Amino acid sequence: MLKTIANLLNRNGRAVERSTDAPRGGGRGRRFVVAKFDSAQTTADNRKHWSNADGLSPNAAISAEVRRTLRNRARYEVANNSYARGIVLTLANDVIGTGPRLQMLTDLPDGNRVVEQLFAEWSDAVRLPEKLRTLRMARADSGEGFAVLTSNPSLPIDIKLDLRLLEADQVTTPYLNTTDMQAVDGIVFDRAGNPVEYHVLKAHPGDTSFGWVVTDDFDRVPAAALIHYFRPDRPGQARGIPDITPALPLFAQLRRYTLAVIAAAETAADFAAVLYTDAPANGEADPVEPMDLVDLERRMATVLPGGWKLGQITAEQPATTYGEFKKEILNEIARCLNMPFNVAAGNSSGYNYASGRLDHQTYFKSIRVDQAQIETVILDRILAAWLDEAVLIEGLLPQSLRSVDARFDHQWFWDGQEHVDPAKEASAQATRLQNHTTTLAYEYARQGRDWESELRQRAKEVALMEELGLPLATNGMPVTQPQQSEENNDASSVDQNA
């Protein structure tokens, strides 16, 4: 009986099942079908490859020491690798752009415009777009970014709310009790898994302004006053690792290969000429000692010793596959960021219109996902804190909006993605509006603009044109005209639907 059970439950990850077509009666003629997963087998060929695979929990796998090592290496590459620097900057610029714009959607139009204008002034005063770009870069090369909601009396506006950015190194618990399952390095959670407080070191552990700083002093910052921006890749993950973590070995290989190719080319170029002979060693053609250096003058004619020839070292580097190798490495590096090759390399020479649009669809969707997370994790919390302070300032907001908070309907506008072919996009936009398959609000939002503000501005322009007696370009003109130029096409699609 035990032998039968052992055969049915194989210890090497195999599922053994009795065949249904086995003859009845007796053990002869029976056969077993052995089904298994190749990836679950450990063989001599794959033993080394899977040697680092483990079953650690998400927080144990990215312990404080592991995160510190990844941060230091990622920052090193971004600081010294031109491609890494450009990729991280491009990602931050594409996600954040010139910054988000607030649009309130309450039933009080005048109050909405007041809030939007005041928030825009505050955003400029605290340099919110710049800080958001820094946070996005920090997530790429440090894994996470932190911002403390604090008060800044030096701000030149009535609302003194400000954001103080922190590096991931500074959010840690120097003497974390490993037996406390409700805490992860620098973060304390309640029983429901919600952050309660963060431990922020009073000095950066890498600060060398006054010598090497070793301090265990930290502040306990309540979770309501701190924003933690990272991407959890596993359930229960409490801290982040750099977005470019899978690409770190590839960045190193790219730089090593480039430096090796340059070194090989320089070595070959250092030798202007080589004297060699086909005569046997220690023969009559040995007036020149091996490894001797001979000074040569420019544009001269000379006579070599008998039996000696003048040659040059053939430069083997860079090889014809040098560019293709770098392209493949960059393509693999950019994949972990959902970034197409031409954006990562800053080179679209091998792209046509269709392939460029197709590759950018995944990238633009990734950007929208990032923006949605920023709205939820960062911007909505900032707006809530901003409104809480704004309602306390007498006369700042209209009386009808004194009870408005971030739970009221609102939306955020981001910079629109420029179309490769503006004429085709304008024609398609005009067709969608004419067929009532879209709205002005949606079309303007795709461009990162507020439709109400744009229509008010357009109304002012039309009124001024009528006052000055200037003809409107769209009078009596259909919505779409195939023969229109790009400029007229853009103008007609906006004018007639405004």
Side-chain angles (χ1 to χ4, degrees):
M1 179 66 178
L2 295 178
K3 188 174 181 180
T4 303
I5 295 176
N7 291 333
L8 293 176
L9 301 177
N10 190 286
R11 296 182 180 180
N12 291 329
R14 303 177 182 179
V16 184
E17 181 181 352
R18 189 183 302 273
S19 176
T20 57
D21 58 352
R24 298 182 180 273
R28 298 185 61 183
R30 295 180 181 272
R31 65 185 181 89
F32 292 91
V33 177
V34 180
K36 60 183 180 182
F37 294 99
D38 290 342
S39 299
Q41 308 306 309
T42 301
T43 65
D45 295 331
N46 66 11
R47 187 181 305 275
K48 290 183 178 180
H49 180 81
W50 300 112
S51 61
N52 292 327
D54 57 55
L56 295 176
S57 68
N59 295 319
I62 54 173
S63 62
E65 186 60 33
V66 170
R67 286 186 284 106
R68 185 181 303 110
T69 301
L70 292 176
R71 286 196 305 264
N72 293 340
R73 293 179 179 178
R75 291 171 182 167
Y76 176 82
E77 285 298 330
V78 172
N80 294 276
N81 189 309
S82 179
Y83 281 114
R85 185 72 171 180
I87 287 174
V88 171
L89 282 173
T90 298
L91 186 61
N93 291 338
D94 288 344
V95 173
I96 306 301
T98 59
R101 273 85 64 190
L102 171 66
Q103 184 187 41
M104 299 295 294
L105 301 176
T106 69
D107 296 331
L108 307 169
D110 294 336
N112 291 341
R113 286 193 293 272
V114 171
V115 173
E116 293 165 5
Q117 181 179 358
L118 290 175
F119 188 86
E121 294 175 357
W122 174 85
S123 176
D124 293 337
V126 300
R127 304 195 309 275
L128 180 61
E130 177 184 334
K131 293 180 179 179
L132 291 177
R133 286 191 293 267
T134 302
L135 284 174
R136 187 60 188 88
M137 293 176 63
R139 201 191 94 175
D141 63 12
S142 300
E144 51 194 350
F146 296 87
V148 178
L149 297 173
T150 183
S151 179
N152 185 357
S154 300
L155 291 179
I157 55 178
D158 294 329
I159 298 179
K160 304 301 180 181
L161 177 68
D162 199 357
L163 268 72
R164 181 167 61 92
L165 303 187
L166 300 173
E167 277 205 321
D169 312 63
Q170 206 166 338
V171 180
T172 183
T173 306
Y175 43 86
L176 178 65
N177 185 3
T178 56
T179 61
D180 186 2
M181 300 305 295
Q182 301 298 326
V184 178
D185 183 33
I187 310 176
V188 179
F189 298 90
D190 60 16
R191 294 185 179 275
N194 303 306
V196 176
E197 68 177 17
Y198 292 82
H199 299 163
V200 179
L201 296 179
K202 293 184 178 180
H204 194 290
D207 193 355
T208 58
S209 300
F210 304 98
W212 188 260
V213 175
V214 179
T215 177
D216 291 341
D217 295 336
F218 64 90
D219 296 321
R220 298 179 182 271
V221 181
L226 191 142
I227 295 174
H228 183 195
Y229 173 56
F230 75 107
R231 186 189 68 198
D233 295 322
R234 296 177 61 182
Q237 182 177 334
R239 299 293 297 263
I241 59 174
D243 290 347
I244 61 173
T245 295
L248 287 178
L250 301 176
F251 279 123
Q253 294 172 9
L254 182 64
R255 289 208 301 153
R256 285 172 49 201
Y257 182 65
T258 300
L259 294 175
V261 168
I262 293 176
E266 288 180 342
T267 301
D270 286 341
F271 292 90
V274 178
L275 291 174
Y276 68 97
T277 179
D278 296 331
N282 299 324
E284 296 181 356
D286 283 340
V288 181
E289 294 294 331
M291 308 305 293
D292 274 354
L293 301 179
V294 180
D295 293 332
L296 300 177
E297 297 181 6
R298 296 182 179 179
R299 295 180 296 276
M300 70 172 183
T302 185
V303 178
L304 298 178
W308 289 82
K309 302 177 183 178
L310 186 67
Q312 288 182 309
I313 295 180
T314 303
E316 301 292 343
Q317 297 291 343
T320 55
T321 58
Y322 174 71
E324 190 65 24
F325 174 81
K326 295 189 69 173
K327 177 180 178 181
E328 291 300 321
I329 290 291
L330 281 174
N331 199 22
E332 187 173 351
I333 286 173
R335 188 63 193 92
C336 67
L337 300 173
N338 287 324
M339 181 180 291
F341 166 76
N342 65 328
V343 175
N347 182 3
S348 301
S349 58
Y351 277 71
N352 56 32
Y353 175 79
S355 60
R357 295 255 351 237
L358 186 63
D359 285 357
H360 279 72
Q361 287 182 358
T362 302
Y363 181 52
F364 291 155
K365 182 178 295 185
S366 176
I367 289 176
R368 291 194 297 271
V369 170
D370 277 355
Q371 291 172 345
Q373 183 191 17
I374 292 173
E375 292 176 9
T376 304
V377 176
I378 302 178
L379 295 179
D380 286 351
R381 291 192 56 190
I382 291 176
L383 178 60
W386 184 89
L387 288 172
D388 287 342
E389 184 172 343
V391 296
L392 299 177
I393 301 176
E394 189 65 29
L396 183 64
L397 297 180
Q399 189 63 31
S400 57
L401 288 177
R402 298 301 296 270
S403 62
V404 171
D405 57 27
R407 292 172 295 179
F408 280 71
D409 289 341
H410 65 277
Q411 64 180 347
W412 301 95
F413 287 107
W414 302 85
D415 292 346
Q417 304 296 339
E418 297 181 1
H419 200 278
V420 179
D421 192 332
K424 291 184 178 179
E425 176 62 15
S427 177
Q429 182 186 78
T431 302
R432 290 192 297 267
L433 288 170
Q434 187 178 22
N435 295 338
H436 304 292
T437 56
T438 187
T439 63
L440 283 174
Y442 176 76
E443 295 298 334
Y444 277 115
R446 292 180 62 192
Q447 303 174 34
R449 297 188 292 173
D450 183 352
W451 69 278
E452 289 183 330
S453 299
E454 298 298 329
L455 288 183
R456 292 181 184 277
Q457 176 62 29
R458 184 56 181 159
K460 293 179 182 179
E461 295 175 356
V462 172
L464 182 59
M465 293 175 67
E466 292 177 349
E467 177 183 346
L468 300 177
L470 298 176
L472 295 178
T474 57
N475 284 345
M477 185 178 295
V479 175
T480 56
Q481 288 286 348
Q483 68 273 15
Q484 285 180 317
S485 63
E486 294 181 8
E487 293 79 3
N488 292 336
N489 205 354
D490 287 336
S492 63
S493 61
V494 175
D495 292 347
Q496 292 198 10
N497 291 280

